[in-house]
Amino acid sequence: MDVLSDLLHRARARNALVRKLVQRPPWSLGFADAPALTVVATLGGQASVRLDEDGASVQLAAGDIALISATTGYTIADSPSTPPQVVIQGQKKYVVGGEEVATAANRSLAPRTYGDGLPGATVMIRGAYELRGDVGDRLLDMLPPLAVVPAGPRTRAALDLLAIEVARDEPGQDAILDRLLDLVLVLALRAWCARPDPARPAWHRALADPAIGDVLRLLHEDPAHRWTVAELAAKVGMSRAAFAARFTGLVGEPPLTYLTGWRMALAADLLRDTEATVATVARQVGYEDAFAFSVAFKRARALSPSAWRRQAR
């Protein structure tokens, strides 16, 4: 499994929330309790996305996708100048724009579909991800607070299919929506990274490099293996020095430092989510000696594994 797929698989909570909005301007929705990662796409019309933290905003045309990893809140509207009408907090809607706005925002047009549905309406899809633990944090670290992916034929085809399925209510619907939202997310990430921009994110440059991408896949597939720099270099047919320099230059840290960070992220989630003993967790992430694992974990998290487990729970 490649690194991005591995991170999504380990970090993803199931049952992603997907909703469709069909609303005539002016309209504005604020999300005070933003999820870890949100996918917002404009199917028809145009929209604005504004972050609460720094006021940064972007305009979305039909087919554009915004990836939002800022968790301090954001607003989706037909225009940056439209004042807030509805604020969603704690899975509840608070209307600040009058009874007419409340009626339009809550009118159900189909399963998971809300708005007035009249001619001239903006059509939006919003998918919210809940991510788990330290692996989820590593995935979020790969993304900016707000990224926009322009419309393209591959993303548009996936969005159209998602838009059709979100309004259905048939057996297996949640599973279909989960997988379609994953498809839209991965296609959007690919398109965002492939844009003609010299400042591509370091993680994408690393994954796209044949040698370093292969090594990252090996580290993720078998983090418990007692990897050495020499062995990793041999796996991709490079000298030890050349490999170490190339890995550090692309990833931003040496190979074994990356491996230790990945092991500690896996260990933190195992301690939080399972009843496995510290010794068992140590072996699962590549430490035969529980004491050596505890020392490494405390160095990374400033708490012993047992203390961290108590605090995390």
Side-chain angles (χ1 to χ4, degrees):
M1 184 180 293
D2 66 85
V3 175
L4 181 56
S5 298
D6 189 33
L7 285 170
L8 282 169
H9 173 72
R10 294 179 186 270
R12 262 279 266 124
R14 294 291 94 191
N15 298 324
L17 180 68
V18 185
R19 295 291 184 265
K20 185 177 180 180
L21 173 70
V22 185
Q23 185 69 55
R24 284 181 305 165
W27 58 269
S28 177
L29 292 175
F31 295 87
D33 296 327
L37 179 60
T38 306
V39 179
V40 174
T42 308
L43 302 180
Q46 61 180 17
S48 165
V49 179
R50 184 180 70 252
L51 301 184
D52 292 350
E53 183 176 12
D54 58 9
S57 66
V58 295
Q59 289 293 116
L60 302 180
D64 290 352
I65 300 172
L67 304 178
I68 308 168
S69 61
T71 56
T72 54
Y74 58 90
T75 299
I76 307 172
D78 66 302
S79 168
S81 61
T82 302
Q85 297 174 339
V86 175
V87 176
I88 298 174
Q89 185 172 23
Q91 298 184 344
K92 293 183 178 180
K93 290 181 180 179
Y94 297 90
V95 178
V96 294
E99 186 61 32
E100 183 179 350
V101 171
T103 302
N106 288 287
R107 183 181 296 126
S108 178
L109 303 175
R112 309 174 194 85
T113 305
Y114 300 91
D116 56 31
L118 297 175
T122 298
V123 182
M124 303 278 298
I125 288 284
R126 176 181 177 269
Y129 281 96
E130 294 296 340
L131 302 179
R132 291 193 297 254
D134 282 44
V135 173
D137 291 341
R138 288 177 76 92
L139 176 61
L140 292 176
D141 287 343
M142 297 166 65
L143 302 172
L146 177 59
V148 175
V149 179
R154 296 186 69 187
T155 54
R156 185 69 206 213
L159 285 175
D160 288 343
L161 185 56
L162 180 59
I164 293 171
E165 292 295 335
V166 75
R168 291 179 174 172
D169 198 5
E170 300 175 6
Q173 203 67 33
D174 288 340
I176 288 176
L177 294 177
D178 274 347
R179 285 156 179 77
L180 285 176
L181 187 59
D182 283 347
L183 175 62
V184 170
L185 173 62
V186 173
L187 289 176
L189 286 171
R190 283 181 180 175
W192 177 64
C193 292
R195 67 199 191 287
D197 185 343
R200 280 194 307 167
W203 63 266
H204 185 264
R205 295 197 302 272
L207 296 181
D209 182 273
I212 305 307
D214 282 349
V215 167
L216 288 169
R217 178 181 53 79
L218 290 171
L219 296 180
H220 278 250
E221 285 181 350
D222 193 2
H225 183 77
R226 300 183 69 179
W227 295 108
T228 65
V229 175
E231 182 181 9
L232 291 170
K235 289 283 187 181
V236 292
M238 299 178 66
S239 71
R240 185 182 184 281
F243 164 72
R246 188 166 175 177
F247 188 102
T248 303
L250 288 174
V251 178
E253 57 187 349
L256 299 188
T257 301
Y258 179 92
L259 175 60
T260 299
W262 178 232
R263 285 172 168 173
M264 293 302 106
L266 295 176
D269 287 351
L270 287 169
L271 290 166
R272 177 195 294 111
D273 300 333
T274 75
E275 299 298 329
T277 65
V278 172
T280 299
V281 171
R283 288 192 296 273
Q284 287 182 312
V285 298
Y287 291 82
E288 295 182 2
D289 183 351
F291 177 76
F293 164 71
S294 296
V295 171
F297 190 90
K298 188 171 184 178
R299 186 183 302 120
R301 294 293 188 272
L303 289 171
S304 69
S306 297
W308 194 92
R309 168 178 268 169
R310 289 193 298 270
Q311 178 174 291
R313 290 182 173 181

